[in-house]
Amino acid sequence: MTMSARVSQSAFDGSRLRVILLLDLYEGAQEQFLDAYEHMRNKVASVPGHISDQLCQSIENPSQWLITSEWESALPFLAWVNSEEHIELVRPMHSCVRDTRSMRYSVLRETHPERPLTPEAAKSGLQTEARVGPGVTRHALTFTVKPGSESKVVDILTHEDTPETRINGITRLHRTSIFMHGNRVVRTMEVEGDLLATLCHVATQPEVRVVEDAINPYLEQDRDLSEPDSARVFFTRAALPAMQHVTAGRPEPAHLRRHMLYYPAVAGRGLELARFLAHQDEAAANDPDSPVYASTVFQREDVVTRLIDVTGELDLDPAAALGVKGPGKAAELQRLLDGAAIGVEGSLDSERNLNRLLAHADMMPVTDRSSADS
């Protein structure tokens, strides 16, 4: 699959995925860790899309370990790593690990010196071109609050102070935005450097802890961010993976407005909906008349959202804003949306219904803050 040069993040390019997990174990935890790993690897071996994995130990420091795994593409890995089965499977490892870092890479080139391959075979499963971008990536977390508590949660989140944005010499938090739709909260972050370091840093900032503690009583799922295992489980369940980010092929306008659109998918069709929106954004990237300058599609199970930076008002071109520009695209979107959830009757081919859908999909902005030097 050939991706547009405008795409800087993608889980849809079909290339093989290499996952690298760096681990620093507590002293004396090696045997417990090995037992937990043996149990996990026997389970993951049967997961669709999994190819292989390796467990390695440092030759210099016995507490430092490395797990690498290879997958047919990013999609089966994301489905696995965000599943409840995976959450429960890795729990026994948590008490063994002092620090961890996860990295995910598409395979771009590889060498087989002992078994020459045909040009076609050599390219099989490889990312076709190197993606380019500024090195700032978009991430999102989502969680739900108890129905009826929405206004209280909005009031609490509105008063969150901006934390220190420089985390270390290579990691920086450029921008955070929070949105709500019904009782669902979505927090997006633009990060330069390491996401895990950013999450750990933000979670320990006093101004953030005050807010997070204040909303705890209103969450539908309990959490305790001061307890490492509870924090890991919360962040795993809240992760809303960025499936694709695309930027338009024109100079960035002086003024852009940020919106988050929520697309409730038909049960079991979330990934198909995310792929449809990603293809639409990719096709529209070189349209000089499109109001959308940048778009990121996020998806987890049947929760699909799209963060867009636009010029002008959304309703000036609702089809383009929704990502359904072109013949038959509105009907395709309608096929994938949960009609009962969006409350739009009749065909989306009419501008009136597109505007109604746009008004329904446009999440309420709660906060939007950028670092001083971004």
Side-chain angles (χ1 to χ4, degrees), residues 302-318:
D302 294 327
V303 176
V304 181
T305 64
R306 185 163 156 264
L307 183 67
I308 55 176
D309 294 322
V310 300
T311 56
E313 300 293 337
L314 285 186
D315 56 7
L316 293 178
D317 191 346

Side-chain angles (χ1 to χ4, degrees), residues 84 87-88 90-95 97 141 143 196 199-200 203 209 212-213 216 219-239:
E84 287 297 317
I87 291 173
E88 294 305 318
V90 299
R91 274 185 189 272
M93 289 188 175
H94 292 172
S95 60
V97 177
L141 300 171
F143 53 87
L196 182 59
L199 291 175
C200 293
R209 289 293 298 272
E212 297 298 330
D213 289 346
N216 280 343
L219 298 180
E220 288 199 309
Q221 288 191 325
D222 293 336
R223 69 176 185 186
D224 180 1
L225 295 183
S226 65
E227 200 281 308
D229 187 51
S230 178
R232 285 191 191 98
V233 171
F234 167 75
F235 284 125
T236 301
R237 286 179 172 151

